[in-house]
Amino acid sequence: MKHIHTKEQGKASKHTKVTIKSILLLQLVVMIYTLSTVAAKFASGYGFLTPGFIGFYGLEIVILGGYALLWQQIIKRFDLSVAYANRSIALLWSMLWAVLFFQESVTIQNAVGVAVVIAGTMVVNSDDA
């Protein structure tokens, strides 16, 4: 498979240094993204078009809109493959929200699966750091 670079991509890659601060910023954006699923789950607890449903569904749309704007800024700072690999940490955030907001349980399989994903993401990040 051939990788194609445009002049703009080449410039961005040369001048962009991946730092711990930028990775933490990326994770913050991913965390914001996962909060949309929390709003969606809360919306599902209300009848269709009730005030609660509309409120939480509207919150989900606002979160996703904010995420879309932030994501566009993030992908300027990272190679796309690194940015998308880091999005997989959404599994960790989603599991955390499930426990905190919905009192769901985490199984050993869940924890091992997320640990494998985190390890893979760390490998991708260490290649660029």
Side-chain angles (χ1 to χ4, degrees), residues 1 12 20 23-24 27 40 43 54-55 58 60 71 75 103 113 125 127:
M1 185 172 184
I20 297 295
I23 289 175
L24 290 175
Q27 288 308 313
I54 292 169
E60 179 185 12
W71 184 251
I75 60 177
Q103 292 72 48
N125 288 337
D127 285 346

Side-chain angles (χ1 to χ4, degrees), residues 43-57:
S44 72
Y46 292 89
F48 185 63
L49 295 181
T50 61
F53 175 86
I54 292 169
F56 281 113
Y57 189 66

Side-chain angles (χ1 to χ4, degrees), residues 58-124:
L59 178 60
E60 179 185 12
I61 291 170
V62 167
I63 292 169
L64 288 172
Y67 162 75
L69 294 172
L70 292 169
W71 184 251
Q72 294 304 313
Q73 298 307 307
I74 285 294
I75 60 177
K76 289 180 184 179
R77 299 174 185 217
F78 290 91
D79 287 340
L80 200 53
S81 60
V82 172
Y84 272 99
N86 276 270
R87 273 187 49 172
S88 63
I89 300 296
L91 293 171
L92 174 66
W93 291 114
S94 296
M95 192 165 58
L96 179 66
W97 303 146
V99 171
L100 290 176
F101 293 116
F102 305 108
Q103 292 72 48
E104 295 181 9
S105 324
V106 175
T107 66
I108 294 296
Q109 292 91 341
N110 296 140
V112 169
V114 168
V116 169
V117 168
I118 291 171
T121 302
M122 289 173 67
V123 168
V124 170

